[in-house]
Amino acid sequence: MFSGEEILSTVQYGQILQKHEDEANIYINGVKVATEEDFLFSYNITSLTKAMKKELNRERTNVGRTAYSSRVKQILLENKESSTTHLLVDSLNRFTEGDLPIELTWKDVAIHSCKILNARENVVFMTPSQIMRHGSMIDDIDGSDFQIITIPENLSYSLSDMKDDTGRPIRNLETFAEEVRDSLSYKEVPSHDLNEHESEVWGKRNEIMRMLGPVPACISEIKLVESIDFAFNQVETLGLWQRDSGTILIARSQLRSMESLAGTLLHERAHASSVRPDVDRGFELELTDYIGLLAAEQLKRQEASYVTYETSASDDINPKSAAERRDAPNFFRRLFGGK
């Protein structure tokens, strides 16, 4: 029976079968009545509707999809078996390639599958446009135990206010970000706990912040913490800008050198002044401005040091009074014969 197709799940309306090769088969009580090229599974329907019975009275070997599609939907909506749900959602992940099985064009089936997966797995449902716009969040998700499931815009809208069978909200980009924020934990480091080197480096924080001009008004405080911990993060967080409180957190590990503190502190300052996240065009432009300002300031200092050095060397070789140096013809006057 079923042409050797393995039974994957059984519910009150029938069975989901592993289809062979490219065609799916539709069975009614074990008797093949139709084939489907674009179905993900084969199905054996054991509970008939009136429409199906009527159709079977006319045609036994080529029953139309309209007769059995409602029962196939009910089989899928009753199904809670993990492997079939995974296969459905994996297919959903490929919708951008135009390879979507018929079952997932039925929105209620797609929603049901997402709910089951949300309850059982660490997943985040995102649209292609969100993936393109939120590179920093993608990095955070990839650095955790969560998997991104790509879904169409219309399905994302439908899932936005829904909960799974356990009562948890369907995890999308916004809910994941909220969970990350809520999981933040840290312990402040008292200044008396710092060693001499750490105290010296930490004491330069305000000077570092003012290297680029006045500190943005949105920054109210800089805190030194032992570590910055998130429940889902597997990579060390070196610094964090907290927009709601106007606070910059700096991990103690950044006091190992002046370069480490300056780099992390100015990085978080750029988040504050640009109001943009990592891997974002606006944030990159802000960092570019910072680099330009620091480079220009460094060049000015080098030029001033060079002039000071030249003047000092001249005084040592040929000491003259300030008045004599002022009245002496300079290089350009000598070059062009001026007085």
Side-chain angles (χ1 to χ4, degrees):
M1 192 168 70
F2 308 144
S3 301
E5 293 163 303
E6 179 187 353
I7 298 174
L8 300 177
S9 178
T10 300
V11 298
Q12 63 173 320
Y13 301 111
Q15 296 164 319
I16 301 174
L17 313 174
Q18 178 69 58
K19 76 173 184 180
H20 284 175
E21 300 179 351
D22 296 329
E23 280 192 343
N25 296 315
I26 306 299
Y27 302 92
I28 294 179
N29 290 321
V31 178
K32 182 177 175 180
V33 296
T35 59
E36 289 280 2
E37 291 185 358
D38 298 322
F39 271 34
L40 183 61
F41 303 109
S42 292
Y43 298 91
N44 178 41
I45 300 168
T46 57
S47 175
L48 279 64
T49 63
K50 290 181 180 180
M52 290 178 65
K53 292 177 181 178
K54 185 176 180 181
E55 184 76 12
L56 284 171
N57 287 333
R58 294 198 304 265
E59 181 65 63
R60 289 274 178 177
T61 58
N62 191 24
V63 177
R65 184 187 297 173
T66 53
Y68 56 75
S69 61
S70 62
R71 262 301 184 249
V72 170
K73 285 183 186 180
Q74 287 176 309
I75 290 173
L76 289 167
L77 292 174
E78 284 288 318
N79 174 59
K80 296 184 185 297
E81 203 277 328
S82 295
S83 65
T84 52
T85 301
H86 265 292
L87 288 169
L88 279 165
V89 176
D90 286 345
S91 297
L92 186 62
N93 242 343
R94 297 194 300 270
F95 87 92
T96 53
E97 303 169 11
D99 185 22
L100 199 64
I102 293 297
E103 291 98 324
L104 289 172
T105 64
W106 301 327
K107 184 183 286 189
D108 47 355
V109 172
I111 289 173
H112 175 71
S113 300
C114 291
K115 283 184 174 182
I116 292 176
L117 198 65
N118 190 82
R120 299 181 180 180
E121 307 284 344
N122 290 331
V123 294
V124 182
F125 296 97
M126 296 180 66
T127 66
S129 61
Q130 288 175 327
I131 291 173
M132 291 181 65
R133 291 197 311 268
H134 299 280
S136 62
M137 289 298 295
I138 302 304
D139 286 346
D140 290 341
I141 296 170
D142 288 342
S144 67
D145 293 327
F146 286 79
Q147 176 190 0
I148 295 173
I149 304 296
T150 310
I151 59 175
E153 300 283 348
N154 62 338
L155 181 57
S156 175
Y157 181 79
S158 298
L159 290 171
S160 59
D161 295 322
M162 290 189 176
K163 296 182 179 181
D164 61 30
D165 292 342
T166 66
R168 293 187 303 176
I170 302 297
R171 187 181 291 107
N172 55 22
L173 181 64
E174 291 74 20
T175 53
F176 179 79
E178 288 175 7
E179 289 178 14
V180 170
R181 284 195 296 268
D182 292 344
S183 73
L184 171 65
S185 63
Y186 60 85
K187 179 182 178 183
E188 288 190 57
V189 179
S191 57
H192 59 76
D193 281 358
L194 301 179
N195 60 39
E196 184 177 350
H197 172 75
E198 289 175 326
S199 294
E200 180 182 358
V201 174
W202 185 238
K204 295 290 185 180
R205 63 190 182 281
N206 293 325
E207 186 176 341
I208 292 170
M209 289 291 283
R210 291 193 294 267
M211 290 175 69
L212 296 163
V215 178
C218 59
I219 300 175
S220 60
E221 187 179 12
I222 305 171
K223 289 182 179 180
L224 181 65
V225 298
E226 202 64 54
S227 61
I228 302 169
D229 302 312
F230 292 101
F232 310 133
N233 199 1
Q234 297 178 345
V235 180
E236 181 186 6
T237 300
L238 308 179
L240 181 68
W241 159 241
Q242 295 182 295
R243 183 177 178 181
D244 293 342
S245 63
T247 304
I248 290 178
L249 302 181
I250 299 293
R252 186 174 186 173
S253 63
Q254 297 311 285
L255 300 187
R256 64 181 180 272
S257 69
M258 198 68 71
E259 292 84 359
S260 296
L261 176 63
T264 302
L265 196 52
L266 293 179
H267 181 102
E268 300 309 325
R269 187 190 197 275
H271 280 308
S273 57
S274 67
V275 201
R276 303 302 304 169
D278 285 315
V279 199
D280 176 89
R281 180 67 172 166
F283 178 65
E284 290 179 356
L285 289 173
E286 190 76 358
L287 283 180
T288 301
D289 289 343
Y290 278 19
I291 293 168
L293 288 168
L294 290 172
E297 182 63 28
Q298 181 64 18
L299 287 172
K300 287 179 183 178
R301 292 183 180 183
Q302 287 180 350
E303 183 178 343
S305 298
Y306 179 76
V307 170
T308 302
Y309 171 78
E310 286 290 308
T311 302
S312 175
S314 176
D315 288 345
D316 292 340
I317 295 170
N318 186 20
K320 293 182 179 180
S321 67
E324 288 175 317
R325 288 198 301 270
R326 184 181 64 246
D327 295 337
N330 63 24
F331 171 77
F332 291 101
R333 288 176 182 172
R334 294 196 304 271
L335 180 63
F336 296 107
K339 293 182 179 180

